[in-house]
Amino acid sequence: MKALGLLAANRCFVEFGAGKGKLSHWINVAFRGSDNVHFLLVERSTTRFKVDGKNKSADSVFERLQVDIQHLSLRKVPLLCEKGLPVIGVGKHLCGAATDLALRCMLESSGRDSGEQNNQPPRKRLKLEEQSETVGVDSQPTPTGLDSDMGKELTVSGLAIALCCHHRCDWRHYVGKEFFRDRGLGALEFAALQRMSSWATCGLRKASGRSDSSSPPGSGREQWEEEDHEHGDDAIPSSLDGVVSAEDREHVGRLCKLLIDYGRVDYLQRKGFTSNLHYYTSRDVSLENVLLTAVPNSTG
Ligand SMILES: C[S@@+](CC[C@H](N)C(=O)[O-])C[C@H]1O[C@@H](n2cnc3c(N)ncnc32)[C@H](O)[C@@H]1O
């Protein structure tokens, strides 16, 4: 994040799928000494053992919103409207569709995602998207004129989201539909890739039938995976036993995840961002080790 210039003061970090809020906590630690740093933690579930309370200081402001990302309009959040601070979207292991919802939420707040039904409030937009998916046509732009209802546009300074659980993606919410369609792929192929993506992480569990002894001692990985991730339940058909090796399945699973993630990179590039995928740690530490980043293209 530092290399991308995302650890700058006078910003508001929006942490999507915040859980206990540890990512914001550690970003705040990285900032110690800088002032005017705000954190907005977005989480739909009631969360126990939150760490936000520990972070309140004169220099940083922490707020928590209990809401589903798909119903969130950042332009209407008082903290963001009043301060007018540029926003940076962050997330640590934001599951499947939640990543796509977060990307749309961010870009819509900046007015960059206005191609589909995004002049509508989130709930209404989702309904329209569902209808257009039902009849199998691309979404059509809807009449504008709701601007006063939409709130002020925000500046998006960038985002950094550690991805996970691609088997929980959903074509309806997926931001990379254009990337797929350009390659002759659609909802059917997406569903297959989505299901096979779990091979990247379930091969190890199935092969071992044990808790993951390859995790470094004290990494807490096995507990974390069990608590926070829902694994695909239909992962490996028995017809593949003995035909495709566990290693090959894992490799295919990783390629499926990569393809889904490239659709997200492509979406961000189309919207005027420089976007990349980074491997931020080894697979020994986490099988979900890809970070999606984006910063706005410089205009100068
Ligand atoms: C794998 S957990 C990660 C939690 C935390 N970021 C961490 O690293 O410990 C994913 C979190 O995202 C939240 N989440 C998933 N979908 C969401 C949505 N649509 N809106 C809000 N939160 C969501 C879940 O409730 C869960 O707390």
Side-chain angles (χ1 to χ4, degrees), residues 14 23 36-37 46 49 81 88 91 128 138 163 199 229 245 248 250 259 280 292 296-299:
V14 180
L23 175 59
N36 207 20
V37 184
T46 313
F49 310 121
C81 305
I88 295 175
L128 286 166
D138 282 351
L163 307 163
W199 295 1
H229 292 261
S245 70
D248 284 348
E250 275 188 49
L259 198 57
Y280 63 90
L292 172 68
N297 293 336
S298 52
T299 45

Side-chain angles (χ1 to χ4, degrees), residues 12-28:
C12 183
F13 289 86
V14 180
E15 182 180 355
F16 293 97
K20 299 183 181 84
K22 286 190 181 170
L23 175 59
S24 291
H25 166 79
W26 286 110
I27 293 174
N28 191 36

Side-chain angles (χ1 to χ4, degrees), residues 126-137:
L126 188 73
K127 237 186 171 143
L128 286 166
E129 280 181 0
E130 279 167 2
Q131 283 167 8
S132 66
E133 285 303 320
T134 312
V135 294
V137 294

Side-chain angles (χ1 to χ4, degrees), residues 148-191:
S148 57
D149 207 29
M150 289 291 294
K152 212 172 125 205
E153 279 183 8
L154 304 175
T155 302
V156 174
S157 292
L159 56 92
I161 297 179
L163 307 163
C164 82
C165 296
H166 296 69
H167 57 275
R168 296 178 67 194
C169 287
D170 183 331
W171 178 251
R172 278 178 314 156
H173 300 304
Y174 182 53
V175 295
K177 290 192 188 93
E178 272 183 88
F179 175 80
F180 267 58
R181 286 179 181 139
D182 285 354
R183 285 153 185 81
L185 305 172
L188 211 63
E189 291 79 12
F190 182 82

